[in-house]
Amino acid sequence: MSLASDMSYSVPASSPSAAVDRDAIAEIFAQIACEAGVAVMSVYASGCAVRVKPDQSLVCDADEYAEAIILKRLGELLPQFPVLAEEAAAAGKRTVDGDAFILVDPVDGTREFLERNGEFTINIALVVDGAPVAGVVYAPALGRMWVAGRAAASCLVEPGAPPPPPQERRSIHVRRVPGQGLTALASRSHSDPRTEAFLAALPLRERRNVGSSLKFCRLAEGDADVYPRFSQTMEWDTAAGDAVLRAAGGVVIGEDDRPLQYGKAGLQFRNGPFVAWGDPNAVRA
């Protein structure tokens, strides 16, 4: 994968997103994620039954309770945007219309949730013209949130509490690749031979296995450099983390050597392989 010299990560002035207040929408997402976090943590504390969906992925009560809250609140606060959410999609809804829509993963990292390691997130993102332009990744068990509008920031917030105002959050940005070697992040639950081969070819200093969309957030904070993913993901898995990383100066490159695209209805909203980089100048062929 290479980085094309004419690649632009800005939104064209003619785009529908030119009329979208990315920061205001991110604030709404933050509020809703905190509300959903209460339901998620209630199930986390009490335990739940696990079911296997037709695609062999796992679902539990936390996914369904959180999604119901998120969809209700999005309908109240952002009714102008169609929404595609993971559990609704599993039940047969796999279509959104128009150039702007919202993607929801109510509990990203269900395996991490069930293993009780805290590395699961609530993901909400706005996609415009195929790119995630606003998003929130919330890790309720860790009490940490990452918010992306025009810029990226992180903060501490407990489930049910109001998110701190923007001026009280920590601005985050990716780092340049350090001279002593890369820190790579890999999925805790979904490794595969192609990922292992890709990582083996890099000048690595360190490798860490991390669950859920937290990998994008670690890159965005400048805590790591690269995250490859060659096994299947869906758009709702990645959009919010991708929004945070892009807002922090990073990139997510697909197999076509371009930023990962969203709204792939013809592929039932499946992503192809991708590599997320903190420093765009580090993108490798």
Side-chain angles (χ1 to χ4, degrees):
M1 294 181 178
S2 61
L3 184 63
S5 59
D6 61 350
M7 190 176 296
S8 172
Y9 303 101
S10 61
V11 178
S14 61
S15 162
S17 66
V20 168
D21 188 334
R22 298 164 63 175
D23 292 337
I25 289 172
E27 292 306 311
I28 292 172
F29 289 168
Q31 173 188 335
I32 294 173
C34 284
E35 294 176 20
V38 175
V40 171
M41 293 308 295
S42 175
V43 176
Y44 193 64
S46 61
C48 64
V50 183
R51 300 174 293 285
V52 180
K53 293 186 286 189
D55 65 359
Q56 301 304 303
S57 63
L58 303 179
V59 63
C60 70
D61 293 341
D63 299 87
E64 295 171 345
Y65 295 165
E67 183 166 302
I69 292 168
I70 294 167
L71 293 181
K72 179 177 183 294
R73 296 293 281 146
L74 288 173
E76 295 168 348
L77 298 173
L78 293 170
Q80 67 271 39
F81 295 112
V83 181
L84 183 60
E86 180 179 16
E87 303 316 322
K93 177 177 172 54
R94 292 247 176 175
T95 302
V96 286
D97 298 319
D99 296 323
F101 62 93
I102 294 171
L103 286 167
V104 173
D105 189 342
V107 179
D108 181 37
T110 301
R111 292 181 187 276
E112 281 68 36
F113 180 92
L114 296 171
E115 292 175 5
R116 307 183 64 79
N117 63 22
E119 292 186 350
F120 56 89
T121 59
I122 297 168
N123 299 343
I124 312 175
L126 174 67
V127 170
V128 178
D129 285 346
V133 301
V136 162
V137 175
Y138 181 39
L142 306 178
R144 292 204 64 192
M145 177 177 286
W146 294 263
V147 183
R150 291 174 297 172
S154 68
C155 59
L156 299 177
V157 56
E158 293 301 319
Q167 64 270 24
E168 295 181 11
R169 301 172 192 166
R170 181 173 68 93
S171 295
I172 59 175
H173 199 275
V174 299
R175 71 184 184 189
R176 293 182 181 274
V177 170
Q180 62 269 36
L182 300 171
T183 295
L185 304 178
S187 173
R188 188 179 297 281
S189 304
H190 301 282
S191 187
D192 62 273
R194 188 174 174 187
T195 297
E196 296 303 320
F198 180 87
L199 291 174
L202 294 178
L204 292 187
R205 179 189 183 194
E206 182 181 5
R207 169 182 173 161
R208 304 175 195 155
N209 293 328
V210 180
S212 72
S213 288
L214 291 173
K215 294 181 285 294
F216 293 102
C217 299
R218 302 290 187 232
L219 293 177
E221 290 181 316
D223 188 46
D225 304 297
V226 61
Y227 158 42
R229 182 63 181 260
F230 299 110
S231 59
Q232 181 177 294
T233 60
M234 305 300 291
E235 292 187 12
W236 49 78
D237 294 321
T238 60
D242 191 349
V244 171
L245 181 56
R246 294 192 198 201
V251 294
V252 181
I253 301 296
E255 280 195 304
D256 59 356
D257 294 335
R258 297 186 60 81
L260 195 63
Q261 290 290 299
Y262 293 82
K264 301 182 292 292
L267 297 176
Q268 296 188 308
F269 301 92
R270 294 187 180 91
N271 291 321
F274 64 83
V275 181
W277 295 89
D279 183 354
N281 294 317
V283 176
R284 296 168 60 93

